[in-house]
Each structure stands twice: as C-alpha cells, then as structure tokens.
Amino acid sequence: MAALCRLRLRLPKTIAISNLHTSSPASAKQHYKMLVLGGGSGGIAMSARMKRMFGAENVAVVEPSEMHYYQPIWTLVGAGAKTVASSGRSTASVMPSGVKWVKSKVQEINPEKNTVRTDDGTEISYEYLIVALGLQLHYEKIKGLPEGFEHPNIGSNYSVQTVEKTWKALQNFKEGNAVFTFPNTPVKCPGAPQKIMYLSDAYLRKTGKRSKANLIYNTSLPVLFAIKKYADALWDVVKERDLQVNLRQNLIEVRADKREAVFENLDKPGETKVIEYEMLHVTPPMGPNSAVKGSPLGDEAGWLDLDKESLQHKRYPNVFGIGDCTNLPTPRTAAAVAAESGILNRTISKILKNEKPDKKYDGYTSCPLVTSYNTVILAEFDYTGQPLETFPINQAKERRIMYHMKADFMPHLYWHGLLRGLWGGPEPYRKLLHLGMK
C-alpha cells in the first residue's frame, strides 16, 4: 500500500481552471478524423488518448449529458459511506481541452457511409470511429417500475436518480425482509447487486436491527459469482452472516403499494413466488445501446460486434469499441475499460501505420467485492475465468487494505489517471504496483 501511496503523489494535481475544449450544439455538417461516441469512462479515456494521437482539432466526442459520474462508487453511496456529489463532475471538466464536444445524442450510425446522425438532425462524418455508448437500463421491463420508486423502501444503486433511495430505505428499515435482486440479462458490474446486501447487513448490525431482519439475495444466475475461487469465499461470507441466497430467481414485478416483489423461477417457467419486503434493492434488466442495436455494427443481440483481442470491429476496420456497449465476453467494469483503453490505443496506432495489431486483450477485468464498511475481496480474472491477480496475497480473503483501495485510491486514479488517458493497458492494477515501486 506504501507503493500505491507513493504513486498517488505522482499523479497530476487537479488544476483549478476550466478545460478550454470547444463545445456547442451540433449544427452544420461536420467531419473529424476521429469521432468518439459517448462521454462515459471509455469515451473520455479514449478521447484523451486520441487527442495526443490525432491532435485536438481532429477529435470530437458526442455526449448529451452535462454531468459525468464515477459509477463504481454508487455502491458506497447506497450504503451511506459516500455522497452522490462526490461521484460526479461536470462533463466540461473531464472533456479533454481542445477536443470538440458535440452536446447531442447519437440517433443513427451508418458505417457504410462513415457517418453519424444526432438527435437534432446533424450529420457528422468520420475517418475513424470509437463507439463507447455504454448500455441501457430497463427498469420498465419490470412490471410496476419505474413508477414504484415513488414509494419508500425501494432503491437502486444503478441510477443517479435512485441510488440515494437505497440509503434512505436502509436507514428507515425496522424489521422484516430486505430483498436484493439480480436480473436475467447481462449487467454492468455484476458484483454490485450483492455488495449492497453485505453493506446492508453490516449497517443493520451496527444499528442493532439485524436480529429483526431477514436478508434475501434473489439472483437469476445459477451461481453466486462466476469465478469459483471468489464464489467459494463469498459463500463463506453468506453462511457466516446468515444471509439467504436463492438462485435462478428473476424479479418480474414490484407491487410497491403492498411492498411485494414477484419472482419467477427460471428453472420452472411460469412458477412465481411473492415476497413481502421492508426494503427492496433492484438491479434493473439491461440491454444494448439502441443506436448500436439499430445499426450494422451490432451483433444478433445488438451489442457492438468486436474482435475480442484487438477491439476492432469485425466487419468495419475503421470502427473500434470499448466498454459496456461491446460484446466482449468479460464482465463490464471500470477496470475492464482501463485494460481495454491501453490495448485499443495500441491497436489504433498500428492501424494508422498499416500494421497488424500486436497487443491482445485477454479479457482482464476486476470486481472489488465490498463485503462490509471496511473489507473487500478483490476479484481479478480473464476471459477464461482464471484469476489474474495483482498482489502476492490471497485476494479471495476479505481485506481492509482492499477496501481503502476501492473507496479512496481508485476514485482519485479514475479522475486523474484513467480519464486523462494516463493509466490503462493489460492488468492495470499490476502496472500500478510496478510504477509505484519505482
């Protein structure tokens, strides 16, 4: 950890002036050598790198949102350990200086003509395209939502509009069932749905309410966690803390007025079970970005169809992708974006030289599994599901130092490292450790 602290001191300090990027609503037809779709983690990280590669005047980012959020911290926001305000900064403050910010939503992508149309009708042409549009949340696919969030006792750590409702529901808990769900779709940060259960358990113990609480984790998955080494450790936590885990249970309806959640047994279609709740945390169904799904860039399911090693599109060689919008067969996390950003930067630099990409993405991803207000199990693994750990210790063990890495160090590194294109590549945490020791 001393090494990490030394590295932290070497990161650029926050500059107290606004970025001098150009920004205005899209209007006339525009053309850029590199067009980046999306201003989330992957989009901003790659636009910073592309600025250095192409020059700021040749790069544009299409992003409608005025705010940029560090979403991994929302797990702690939902448990009262961090604030929503600490998770967000203005998009203007993270946009690389000099890069054109198109404040619009992507409406249509036409890779045959190398054009993108925004929701105000503007057409933008490009030579190279990076798609970083993320995924879409579908609360509406659960009957009774999103209108159910107007009632107390329901929250979700997956949206800035609902994450504080989780904390309020936890604070207001008196006795009964606290229910936590995992949907029957791909999700981003697949550990988050159970992290809030462990934090809720810790909070209820701290406030003397645990003896009156029954904590239930209903997941559509057939396992607690995909990687056995970490799943075994989590099962030990579940048993030690008397938590109830039900596999293959999918939330299909919320009756907020009655405080009832309806689940379908995925192994017995049509069989449902109603659970009364005092608190409900909902992880929504998720799906591909609509602009990607409606374009030739999507696969059969609508995800951006990439070569999993080079991150280059399978059919359009001047199109690349990063992050949650892709069909890369690895869990969607910020750590995966960090790993992908370095690989993608290398791929594009090779393509520009008419050379074959020589760096391969191995699927590295990481999930800091928060198990209390001061412990984390740090899961790291690759496409094959094999652990790919950074530290010379057993990372399947709950550790206080990993909690501080998650809660305190990683947000700093995100804002001052990843988003500036200064950190990323294969096994990014291992790179951190090596840099910090120099």
Side-chain angles (χ1 to χ4, degrees), residues 60 90 155 183 231 237 266 285 374 392 425:
S90 68
V237 173
L266 296 177
N374 57 17

Side-chain angles (χ1 to χ4, degrees), residues 162-179:
T162 57
V163 63
E164 289 179 303
K165 293 179 182 292
T166 303
W167 174 226
K168 187 173 182 180
L170 183 55
Q171 289 177 295
N172 292 339
F173 186 95
K174 294 181 177 61
E175 62 178 320
N177 294 327
V179 182

Side-chain angles (χ1 to χ4, degrees), residues 140-428:
E140 79 283 354
K141 291 190 176 181
I142 300 171
K143 186 177 179 181
L145 294 182
E147 61 271 19
F149 286 114
E150 297 175 5
H151 292 257
N153 305 83
I154 310 178
S156 176
N157 290 351
Y158 277 87
S159 167
V160 69
Q161 287 84 23
T162 57
V163 63
E164 289 179 303
K165 293 179 182 292
T166 303
W167 174 226
K168 187 173 182 180
L170 183 55
Q171 289 177 295
N172 292 339
F173 186 95
K174 294 181 177 61
E175 62 178 320
N177 294 327
V179 182
F180 309 85
T181 75
F182 190 111
N184 190 28
T185 67
V187 300
K188 55 183 174 181
C189 194
Q194 60 184 291
K195 295 178 194 179
I196 186 59
M197 172 179 64
Y198 303 128
L199 286 163
S200 297
D201 170 75
Y203 177 81
L204 294 175
R205 290 179 188 277
K206 183 172 65 174
T207 54
K209 301 176 183 178
R210 184 61 179 90
S211 62
K212 297 181 178 180
N214 183 31
L215 276 66
I216 303 170
Y217 181 56
N218 275 11
T219 172
S220 64
L221 299 177
V223 293
L224 181 57
F225 194 74
I227 311 304
K228 186 178 185 302
K229 175 178 180 177
Y230 307 114
D232 289 346
L234 291 169
W235 276 117
D236 288 342
V237 173
V238 165
K239 293 172 184 174
E240 175 189 332
R241 299 178 194 174
D242 192 27
L243 307 172
Q244 182 179 334
V245 174
N246 300 312
L247 306 177
R248 303 291 288 158
Q249 299 294 313
N250 182 41
L251 179 66
I252 59 173
E253 182 180 358
V254 174
R255 301 166 182 166
D257 56 335
K258 299 178 180 178
R259 293 187 187 175
E260 293 178 346
V262 183
F263 293 87
E264 180 181 20
N265 184 340
L266 296 177
D267 288 332
K268 298 179 180 178
E271 180 180 298
T272 61
K273 182 177 182 179
V274 178
I275 299 179
E276 294 183 356
Y277 63 82
E278 172 72 4
M279 171 187 175
L280 176 65
H281 178 268
V282 177
T283 300
M286 303 179 201
N289 177 273
S290 58
V292 175
K293 187 175 182 179
S295 79
L297 296 179
D299 63 11
E300 290 184 358
W303 303 99
L304 187 68
D305 198 12
L306 298 184
D307 178 279
K308 71 175 187 176
E309 295 180 339
S310 70
L311 310 186
Q312 186 176 26
H313 196 273
K314 290 181 179 178
R315 297 183 300 281
Y316 298 95
N318 65 329
V319 177
F320 310 87
I322 187 171
D324 297 347
C325 66
T326 71
N327 64 355
L328 300 175
T330 196
R332 297 168 170 86
T333 68
V337 168
E340 292 161 17
S341 66
I343 299 294
L344 181 52
N345 189 69
R346 178 74 174 184
T347 291
I348 294 173
S349 69
K350 286 293 186 178
I351 296 295
L352 291 177
K353 298 174 184 176
N354 292 317
E355 297 176 6
K356 186 176 181 180
D358 59 350
K359 293 290 185 180
K360 297 180 178 180
Y361 178 45
D362 59 5
Y364 172 89
T365 191
S366 174
C367 186
L369 295 156
V370 183
T371 53
S372 76
Y373 284 95
N374 57 17
T375 55
V376 158
I377 291 172
L378 182 60
E380 295 179 282
F381 49 96
D382 61 16
Y383 279 139
T384 67
Q386 293 301 307
L388 199 63
E389 298 183 343
T390 297
F391 301 93
I393 55 178
N394 178 14
Q395 291 181 199
K397 183 178 178 180
E398 294 178 276
R399 296 184 187 275
R400 184 183 296 267
I401 190 172
M402 297 304 183
Y403 178 86
H404 290 299
M405 181 178 172
K406 156 76 177 177
D408 305 318
F409 182 72
M410 294 313 299
H412 184 88
L413 184 62
Y414 178 84
W415 296 114
H416 303 294
L418 178 62
L419 294 190
R420 296 183 182 184
L422 300 175
W423 172 61
E427 302 178 50

Side-chain angles (χ1 to χ4, degrees), residues 22-40:
T22 58
S23 64
S24 62
S27 52
K29 183 174 180 180
Q30 305 170 37
H31 176 81
Y32 296 92
K33 287 185 178 179
M34 173 56 75
L35 182 61
V36 180
L37 305 183

